[in-house]
Amino acid sequence: MLVQAARYEVIPAGVVMTGPGFVTPDNATKVIELSKQGLR
């Protein structure tokens, strides 16, 4: 959101879902892979 605001002078409209995300045994491998790429 900050990048869009800085580059394009726009911000998201409407509801921005920022609820909790949980790491479980079912998704742990994917979360670890994304984390290594710097994604959260």
Side-chain angles (χ1 to χ4, degrees):
M1 289 184 349
L2 291 174
V3 170
Q4 287 183 346
R7 288 185 184 167
Y8 310 113
E9 298 180 1
V10 296
I11 56 172
V15 176
V16 177
M17 303 299 283
T18 61
F22 297 97
V23 179
T24 66
D26 294 332
N27 67 5
T29 301
K30 186 67 174 177
V31 172
I32 291 168
E33 290 173 16
L34 292 172
S35 178
K36 288 178 182 177
Q37 296 175 32
L39 302 172
R40 294 176 164 228

